[in-house]
Structure formats: C-alpha cells, structure tokens
Amino acid sequence: MSFLSRLVRPSLEATAHCDLPCGVYDPAQARIEAESVKAIQEKYQGNEDPDFRSRAIEIKEQRSELVKHHLWVLWTDYFKPPHFEKYPELHELFNKATKAAGGGAGGTKSSNDPATGQALLDQIAEIDRIFWETKQAA
Amino acid sequence: MSFLSRLVRPSLEATAHCDLPCGVYDPAQARIEAESVKAIQEKYQGNEDPDFRSRAIEIKEQRSELVKHHLWVLWTDYFKPPHFEKYPELHELFNKATKAAGGGAGGTKSSNDPATGQALLDQIAEIDRIFWETKQAA
Amino acid sequence: MSFLSRLVRPSLEATAHCDLPCGVYDPAQARIEAESVKAIQEKYQGNEDPDFRSRAIEIKEQRSELVKHHLWVLWTDYFKPPHFEKYPELHELFNKATKAAGGGAGGTKSSNDPATGQALLDQIAEIDRIFWETKQAA
Amino acid sequence: MSFLSRLVRPSLEATAHCDLPCGVYDPAQARIEAESVKAIQEKYQGNEDPDFRSRAIEIKEQRSELVKHHLWVLWTDYFKPPHFEKYPELHELFNKATKAAGGGAGGTKSSNDPATGQALLDQIAEIDRIFWETKQAA
Amino acid sequence: MSFLSRLVRPSLEATAHCDLPCGVYDPAQARIEAESVKAIQEKYQGNEDPDFRSRAIEIKEQRSELVKHHLWVLWTDYFKPPHFEKYPELHELFNKATKAAGGGAGGTKSSNDPATGQALLDQIAEIDRIFWETKQAA
Amino acid sequence: MSFLSRLVRPSLEATAHCDLPCGVYDPAQARIEAESVKAIQEKYQGNEDPDFRSRAIEIKEQRSELVKHHLWVLWTDYFKPPHFEKYPELHELFNKATKAAGGGAGGTKSSNDPATGQALLDQIAEIDRIFWETKQAA
C-alpha cells in the first residue's frame, strides 16, 4: 500500500482470515504473492543463468501455491451463500483464478511469461472488487 | 484495505518479499496477521467455552508466529545497511516487535489481552511508516 | 481399503494430484483425513480429561485443514470446465464440503459432534461418486 | 480406487493415522503419493524442456518425502511389538521402502527412472498386504 | 553416500542430514527437541493456568513430532545395512524411541510427566552412542 | 559436531528454543543446517549433472531458510535487552548472518561457492561464542 493510501485508510478496515474464524480477511494477501510471482517471471526473463532460473522456478512454484491457498480461504471461509446468489459468477471466477496460479496450461507455475502473472493479478483484482463491495454492503 | 483507499492506491506500489529476491515486500502481510491476533483475543474474551478458548489459543499461536516471520523477512531481506544507518532505532524496533508477537511476558502468544494485540499493531505501524519512507526515498 | 476390495481393484486405477500436474488424483485422500476427524470427535466424547481434549481439538483442527486442502486441489486441479457444465452443482458441493471441514457453524473444526464428521464424510462420498463417474467417462 | 472396488468396499474399513492416536491408518496414503512419483518420472522422460524438468524434480522431491512420512507413521504408530514378532522382516521392509523414496542410489528423489517409482510401489504393496492381514487378524 | 566413500571419509567431518544427501547428520537435532519436550513438561507441572497448559500441550506436540522426524531421518538416511547387521537391536531401538515421542501410552505427546521426556532422552542417548561409534569406525 | 568436540562439550549446555518459552536454545541447530549448506555446495561443485544440481539448489534453499529461522529465533527469543547492551554489535551480527543465508549477493541461497557456506559458518561461530558467554554469565 502506498504511503498516501495509508493516510486515507479508514480505521474500520480490518476484516477476517483465520479459521477460528476471527473475521479478518483481505485479498491483499493473494495480491502480494501474485505480484511476487510476476516479478519472479520478469527476473527469469532477464537472466539466463540455469541455476538462477532453477531457483526462480522453485520459488515461483511456492508463491503460486500461496496465491491458491489465500484464494481458497476467501472462497470457502469469507464468502457465504447470499454472496454466491448475488454474484453467480463468483464460483467460476475463483476456480479460474486458482487454475491461473497452477501448473496447467497458462498457469503461473508452468509458465515463465509475465503475461500469465498479470492475468492472475487481473483476476485477483476482480475478486478484490467484489470482496470490497460485499464489505460495503455489510 | 478499504474500498476507498483502493481507489487512490497508486499503481506503482508493489514492492518485494520472496528470497529470490523478487523485490516485492509489504508490511501489510505482518499487519493483517496481527489484526487477526487481536480479533482472536477479543473473541476469546467474549466466549468462556474451554474448547473454543483452546482453539483460539492454538490459532493465535500460529498467527503470532506468522507475524514474527513476516517481520523477520522485512528486517533481514528488505532493509539494507544504509537504512540501518539512517534509522538507528530500527534493529531494536524489530527486536521488540517480534518479541511482542512471542511467548514471553506481554507477547501475543502468551497473553489473551487485546491490548497486547494492539501494542503489536502499533509497533508494526511504526515499521510500516519507516518502510514507506524508505520506498519514497528510493 | 479392505483386503477384499484390494483384490478386485483394477490396476489402471491411479489418477493424478500433484500440480506438475502428474495426473494422479484420488478423493480417498480427503476421505481418510475426514475419517480421522470423525474418529477424533468420538474419542473426544469418550474422554473428559481436559488435556486429552485439548490435544484432540488441536489435531482435529489440522486434520480438518487437510480435508479442506485435498478438496480444494480436486476442485481446482482435477475438475475442468466440461465437468462443471455436466455437474452444475459441483461448485456448491465443494464450497459446502470445505465449509463443513471449517471453523464456522457446524464445521468439524468448531464442533466435537461426530455427526458433523459424518456429514463431512457424506459430502466427500458425493464428490467421490462424481469423480469416478468422470473417470469412467474419460 | 476404481468405481468397481468402491462398490464392494466394506463399510468397516476405516482404520487410524493421526497421533492422538485416532486409530485411522491406511497405506493408500503412501501409495497415492508413490503413484504420483512414478507419473512424474514418466512425464520427465517425455519432456526435455529444462524448466519442466526442474519443476518435475522439485515436485518429485516433495512427493517422495510424503511417501517417506506416511510410511514412517505406519511403522511407528500403527505397528506394535506383536506385529514385529509375527513379521520379523517388517523393520527391514520399512527401512528399504523409505530408502527407496530417498536421495540415495536408486531412490526416487535422485532417480528419474520410472522403474525406481515402480520398485517403490512394489514395496508399498508388500507393506499394504501385511497391513491388511494384521487388520483381518485384529 | 556409498559404503566405500564412507570408509575414506575423514573422521572430523561434520555429519550429514539432508536428503541430497549432503552427508551431514547429528543426533543432537533430536536431542535438543527432546530437551525442549522435557522442559515443557516441567513447566506444565509448575503452572495450573489452563491457557498456559493448553499452549504447553500444543507446543509439546510439535516438538515431539520434530523428535520423531529427526530420528526417522537418521534411521532411514544415515544408517545402512552394515550398521543394522552390526547392531541388530537398532531397528527396535528406533521404533521404541519414535513411539516414546508419540501419542500412545507413555509417549511424550500424551503424557505431561517429565519422566517420559527423560525416558525419550535416554533412548536418544543410546542412539547417539551407536551413531558416534559408527562414525569412528568409518 | 566431531566426536572430539562432543567429548569436551560441557554437560550443562542444553538451553531453550521453543516459544512457550521452554528455555532450551542452542546455536548448534543453525550450525548443523549451515554445515549441510556448505556440504551441498561442495557436492554441487563436484557434479555437473543438471538434475543433480537442480536438486542441490532446491535443498540448499530449504537448508538456508532453516539457518535463517534458527538464527531469528535466537535473536528474538533468547537474547534480551541486557545482552544487546553488553554486546552492541549483536543486532548487526545477526542481521548479517541471516543475510549471509539468503538470496542476495553472497548469500548461500544464490551462491554455490562453498566459501559463502564457510562465511556463514564463521558468523554462526561468532554468535555461538557470545551465546555461551551469556550462558556462563547467567
């Protein structure tokens, strides 16, 4: 978060993410990991050393897995039946976004193209948009 | 992050956190877990069921550990010698903040008082302030 | 699996679950963990020692989390768009099953009633049924 | 498990694997991971892309480790002194099987030859056979 | 490491534990965790606060699991067939020691009696003695 | 640890490391992992097989991370304000040592040169020396 946005950040913002549940959720967790994924892909493109690339691939694998985990938590723990009724596209959006962070065709685990990292970020941004709409409505 | 702050969030904000290093860091990761810690402490205070409290204590332990981990990563991987020269209090600030998320006296692992969760959040806010100052200066 | 069923188990049965992807998936992974969850709930009911119960709650938390993880992997990595078209109830089935292994009302993390463990097993059995239908059709 | 074998699977089959202990154990957990190991080795042989191979090696490492873990749990937590008396070869069988999933000569971590994955599966099948014999006798 | 290379390995060499294998093993890893287990049991006995005890039980569970893991690694990865020939009691010694760190009767997961922690330490000391004998002989 | 050093190791050495806190800490945990890191780097230098090297890099990454973790635990959980007063260089020593096990320039994650592994061991030896001085003084 930029310094500026921190200043205007309302104090009520905390939401919920552990499975007590504590009630704190934030799509920023998935977004930060996805930004890491894309940054790794860019570094991979700029460095042909095989050892560096081996490390990049391994770390990208872990970061992509974290993206999947954070999204799964939102899908299962934060979103409730009324949300799925109001946003019927939500199931598919999450399914596609988690696939976009996976090892299948076009997924960030198997691809080193930053465009796949960006596509993942775009889907997380869409989830983020809906998430904050539901928070506003609550 | 609130819906409002998202609107004003500059697009260049991504920083770095994996140890490739990819260059993406964000104190929000520690903050979100600490918000969870405090929320768990509040729920603990409002529920006397021993089984609920046992779960709360266990989950708080894990979330506190995540706070420590995210802070350690910032201290070791993001901050460099010039930062420590400019902010001589930084080592002690991180040492105290990670202790504040631990099992010693006043730490969020051993205490169920939301005041300790808030104290932890305050220290993370101070780290966050310095972090964004260094990003501005970069 | 019983000794009898092993004898009649066809050799082609292996499917896929890692995210290479290797192509091996099996709902048995979620089922075995859920059987463990229900067994823990039954042991909890039969033992009033607070230390035993504290351990039971903690271990049940981990096993429930493993159920969620194995189900999420099936939902994201095994099932593809044509499956979701053919089984339109699949998204909701997975969402409910992972909620049933969680910390919300009626979830196996927050409940020590074996009936919640059985409800979780029933939902996994339904997923298992659809899974093997899609394997037959492949 | 195939659709057919599921139909004939007796309902009493659940056993025990967590360390409460809950009493649910099943060699299928080790077998499924080992099937994944062998499938990864086969995919490795069919794809010369160095990035794909780097991912395959890394994921095979993790899956092999899971095989070792599941086997260790069976050896320590399920099998009791009377079993080791009745099956004096059991210690060595487990020691060899866990070595077969390791990084030494012929282990599935260091080898990409599917024959090593099959050798591991064969040893797990032998453990599985003895396991179900002891369950029948119980 | 092959049996031959062990023979020519200088005796002062740091011992080996990762599964490359790197050749560094040291029973101190299991011992340190077991010392922690016993210290937790002593703290448990001296503090009747139920929240403290809940934390103690949870942490003791994790430390006991680490003891089991470190011992399993030694048994599978360090010890080779010639060792098992020379020390025929070694299999049973490891099986009992890992059970002593488990959740069954007398195991350190289920017991809060420091005597069980000491019994575990005694068995690790015996493994340690044999380990260093084999290192001397190498 | 060599056999010789074990003989001269004072028997009172066991200390504390879990976050109950149990009071058992020992820099040997970081040292053993760092020895593993250096041994992996040496094996990497002696083997040009790309698959072996890919495994070596991945395992070295994990072992380096463990070094960082064990050092962070000492820095936050064992060392107290009076120690930092008496040893004002301690913060920087830990910061440099954890950086030496990282992915930046000269860190053991990004370098395969055993000299970086040795440099890490040297820094841990310095921490170890101070640690035991504080234990003597206690």
Side-chain angles (χ1 to χ4, degrees):
Chain A
M1 199 180 317
S2 76
F3 187 64
L4 183 63
S5 71
R6 284 194 316 112
L7 292 177
V8 298
R9 191 172 53 174
S11 63
L12 74 161
E13 118 192 21
T15 32
H17 78 298
C18 85
D19 206 4
L20 182 55
C22 67
V24 178
Y25 299 96
D26 197 328
Q29 293 189 302
R31 177 182 53 77
I32 292 170
E33 301 297 347
E35 284 169 350
S36 177
V37 166
K38 189 186 169 192
I40 293 167
Q41 291 172 322
E42 287 165 346
K43 292 216 167 185
Y44 172 98
Q45 296 298 336
N47 192 328
E48 299 198 352
D49 176 57
D51 290 343
F52 179 85
R53 291 190 155 188
S54 187
R55 287 188 65 230
I57 288 166
E58 175 206 345
I59 296 172
K60 179 165 58 73
E61 195 87 8
Q62 297 167 353
R63 295 297 150 181
S64 296
E65 185 64 25
L66 285 171
V67 172
K68 293 175 80 165
H69 179 74
H70 287 308
L71 292 178
W72 282 330
V73 166
L74 286 176
W75 180 64
T76 289
D77 299 343
Y78 172 72
F79 286 105
K80 298 288 183 302
H83 298 135
F84 293 118
E85 270 176 50
K86 189 169 176 195
Y87 300 93
E89 77 277 23
L90 211 44
H91 286 311
E92 196 176 323
L93 180 56
F94 270 101
N95 193 261
K96 284 186 176 170
T98 46
K99 276 181 167 67
T108 56
K109 284 186 180 176
S110 51
S111 171
N112 297 306
D113 182 350
T116 62
Q118 187 56 53
L120 175 60
L121 281 165
D122 292 345
Q123 291 180 74
I124 293 171
E126 177 62 11
I127 287 170
D128 187 71
R129 188 186 63 76
I130 293 174
F131 175 85
W132 291 107
E133 272 188 22
T134 63
K135 298 292 288 186
Q136 291 290 98
Chain B
M1 196 179 317
S2 75
F3 187 65
L4 184 63
S5 71
R6 285 195 316 112
L7 292 177
V8 298
R9 189 173 54 176
S11 62
L12 74 162
E13 116 191 22
T15 34
H17 78 298
C18 86
D19 206 5
L20 182 54
C22 68
V24 179
Y25 298 96
D26 198 327
Q29 292 189 303
R31 178 182 51 76
I32 293 169
E33 300 297 349
E35 284 169 350
S36 176
V37 166
K38 188 186 169 193
I40 293 167
Q41 291 172 323
E42 288 166 346
K43 292 215 166 185
Y44 171 97
Q45 297 299 336
N47 192 328
E48 299 197 352
D49 176 57
D51 290 342
F52 179 85
R53 289 190 155 188
S54 186
R55 287 188 65 229
I57 287 167
E58 175 205 346
I59 296 172
K60 180 166 57 72
E61 194 87 9
Q62 297 168 353
R63 295 297 150 181
S64 295
E65 185 64 26
L66 285 172
V67 172
K68 293 175 82 165
H69 180 75
H70 288 307
L71 292 178
W72 283 330
V73 166
L74 286 176
W75 180 64
T76 289
D77 298 343
Y78 172 72
F79 286 105
K80 298 289 183 300
H83 298 133
F84 293 117
E85 272 177 49
K86 189 170 177 193
Y87 300 93
E89 76 276 23
L90 211 44
H91 286 311
E92 197 177 322
L93 179 56
F94 270 102
N95 194 260
K96 283 186 176 170
T98 46
K99 276 182 167 66
T108 57
K109 284 185 179 175
S110 50
S111 170
N112 296 306
D113 181 349
T116 62
Q118 186 55 52
L120 175 60
L121 280 164
D122 291 346
Q123 292 181 74
I124 294 172
E126 177 62 10
I127 287 170
D128 187 71
R129 189 187 61 76
I130 293 174
F131 174 85
W132 290 107
E133 271 187 24
T134 63
K135 298 293 287 186
Q136 291 289 99
Chain C
M1 196 180 319
S2 74
F3 187 64
L4 182 65
S5 71
R6 283 194 318 111
L7 292 178
V8 299
R9 190 173 54 175
S11 63
L12 75 161
E13 111 194 24
T15 34
H17 78 298
C18 86
D19 205 5
L20 183 55
C22 68
V24 178
Y25 297 96
D26 197 329
Q29 292 189 303
R31 178 182 53 76
I32 293 170
E33 301 297 347
E35 285 169 350
S36 176
V37 166
K38 189 186 170 193
I40 293 167
Q41 291 171 323
E42 287 166 346
K43 292 215 167 185
Y44 172 97
Q45 297 300 337
N47 191 328
E48 298 198 353
D49 176 57
D51 291 342
F52 179 86
R53 289 190 157 189
S54 187
R55 289 188 64 228
I57 287 166
E58 175 205 346
I59 295 172
K60 177 164 61 72
E61 194 86 9
Q62 297 167 355
R63 296 296 150 181
S64 295
E65 186 64 26
L66 285 172
V67 171
K68 292 175 82 165
H69 180 73
H70 288 307
L71 292 178
W72 282 330
V73 166
L74 287 176
W75 179 64
T76 289
D77 299 342
Y78 172 72
F79 286 105
K80 299 287 182 302
H83 299 133
F84 294 117
E85 270 176 51
K86 189 169 177 194
Y87 301 93
E89 77 277 23
L90 210 44
H91 286 311
E92 197 177 323
L93 179 57
F94 270 101
N95 193 261
K96 285 186 174 170
T98 47
K99 276 182 168 67
T108 56
K109 284 186 179 175
S110 50
S111 170
N112 296 306
D113 181 349
T116 62
Q118 185 57 51
L120 175 59
L121 280 165
D122 292 346
Q123 291 180 75
I124 293 172
E126 177 62 10
I127 287 170
D128 187 71
R129 189 186 62 75
I130 293 175
F131 175 84
W132 291 107
E133 272 188 23
T134 63
K135 298 293 288 187
Q136 291 290 98
Chain D
M1 197 180 316
S2 75
F3 188 64
L4 183 63
S5 71
R6 283 193 318 111
L7 293 177
V8 298
R9 190 173 53 176
S11 64
L12 74 161
E13 115 191 22
T15 33
H17 78 298
C18 86
D19 206 5
L20 183 55
C22 68
V24 178
Y25 298 96
D26 197 327
Q29 292 188 303
R31 177 182 53 75
I32 293 169
E33 300 298 347
E35 285 168 349
S36 176
V37 166
K38 188 186 170 192
I40 293 168
Q41 290 172 323
E42 287 166 346
K43 291 214 168 185
Y44 173 97
Q45 297 299 336
N47 192 328
E48 299 198 351
D49 177 57
D51 290 343
F52 178 86
R53 290 191 155 188
S54 187
R55 288 187 65 229
I57 288 166
E58 175 205 345
I59 296 172
K60 178 165 60 71
E61 195 86 9
Q62 298 168 352
R63 294 298 150 180
S64 295
E65 186 64 25
L66 285 171
V67 171
K68 293 175 82 164
H69 179 74
H70 287 307
L71 292 179
W72 283 329
V73 167
L74 286 177
W75 180 63
T76 289
D77 299 342
Y78 172 71
F79 286 105
K80 300 286 184 300
H83 299 133
F84 293 118
E85 269 177 51
K86 188 169 177 193
Y87 301 92
E89 76 278 24
L90 210 45
H91 285 311
E92 196 177 323
L93 179 56
F94 269 102
N95 193 261
K96 283 187 176 170
T98 46
K99 277 182 167 66
T108 56
K109 284 186 179 176
S110 50
S111 170
N112 296 305
D113 182 349
T116 61
Q118 186 56 52
L120 175 59
L121 281 165
D122 292 345
Q123 292 180 74
I124 293 172
E126 177 61 12
I127 288 169
D128 187 71
R129 188 186 64 75
I130 293 174
F131 174 85
W132 290 108
E133 271 187 23
T134 63
K135 298 293 286 186
Q136 291 289 98
Chain E
M1 194 180 318
S2 75
F3 187 64
L4 184 63
S5 72
R6 282 194 319 109
L7 292 178
V8 299
R9 194 170 49 169
S11 64
L12 74 160
E13 120 192 17
T15 40
H17 77 300
C18 86
D19 205 6
L20 183 55
C22 67
V24 178
Y25 298 96
D26 197 329
Q29 292 189 302
R31 177 182 52 76
I32 293 169
E33 301 297 347
E35 284 168 351
S36 176
V37 166
K38 188 186 169 194
I40 293 167
Q41 290 172 323
E42 288 166 346
K43 292 215 166 185
Y44 172 98
Q45 296 299 337
N47 192 328
E48 298 198 351
D49 176 57
D51 290 343
F52 179 85
R53 291 190 155 188
S54 187
R55 287 189 65 230
I57 288 166
E58 175 205 346
I59 296 172
K60 179 165 59 72
E61 194 87 8
Q62 296 168 355
R63 295 297 151 181
S64 295
E65 185 64 26
L66 284 172
V67 172
K68 293 174 82 164
H69 180 74
H70 287 308
L71 292 178
W72 283 330
V73 166
L74 286 176
W75 179 64
T76 289
D77 298 343
Y78 172 72
F79 286 105
K80 299 288 183 301
H83 298 134
F84 294 118
E85 271 176 51
K86 188 169 176 194
Y87 300 93
E89 76 278 23
L90 211 44
H91 286 312
E92 196 176 322
L93 179 56
F94 269 102
N95 193 261
K96 284 185 175 171
T98 47
K99 276 182 167 67
T108 57
K109 284 186 179 175
S110 51
S111 170
N112 297 306
D113 181 349
T116 61
Q118 186 55 53
L120 175 59
L121 280 165
D122 292 346
Q123 292 181 75
I124 293 172
E126 177 63 11
I127 287 170
D128 187 70
R129 189 186 63 76
I130 293 175
F131 175 84
W132 291 106
E133 270 187 23
T134 63
K135 297 293 286 187
Q136 287 292 95
Chain F
M1 196 179 316
S2 74
F3 187 64
L4 184 63
S5 72
R6 282 196 322 116
L7 292 177
V8 299
R9 191 174 50 174
S11 62
L12 73 161
E13 119 190 18
T15 32
H17 77 298
C18 86
D19 206 5
L20 183 53
C22 67
V24 179
Y25 298 96
D26 197 329
Q29 293 188 302
R31 179 181 51 76
I32 293 169
E33 301 296 347
E35 285 169 350
S36 176
V37 166
K38 189 187 169 192
I40 293 168
Q41 290 172 323
E42 287 166 346
K43 292 216 167 184
Y44 172 97
Q45 296 299 336
N47 192 328
E48 299 198 351
D49 176 57
D51 291 342
F52 179 86
R53 291 190 154 189
S54 187
R55 288 188 65 230
I57 288 166
E58 175 205 346
I59 296 172
K60 180 165 58 73
E61 195 86 9
Q62 296 168 354
R63 296 296 150 180
S64 296
E65 186 63 26
L66 285 171
V67 171
K68 294 176 80 165
H69 179 74
H70 286 308
L71 293 178
W72 283 330
V73 167
L74 286 176
W75 180 65
T76 289
D77 298 343
Y78 172 72
F79 287 105
K80 299 288 183 302
H83 298 134
F84 293 118
E85 270 176 51
K86 188 169 177 193
Y87 300 93
E89 76 277 23
L90 210 44
H91 286 312
E92 197 177 322
L93 180 55
F94 269 102
N95 194 260
K96 283 186 176 170
T98 46
K99 276 181 166 69
T108 56
K109 284 186 179 175
S110 51
S111 171
N112 297 306
D113 182 349
T116 62
Q118 185 57 52
L120 175 59
L121 281 165
D122 292 346
Q123 291 180 76
I124 293 171
E126 177 61 10
I127 287 169
D128 186 71
R129 188 186 63 74
I130 294 174
F131 175 85
W132 291 107
E133 271 188 23
T134 62
K135 297 294 285 186
Q136 291 290 98

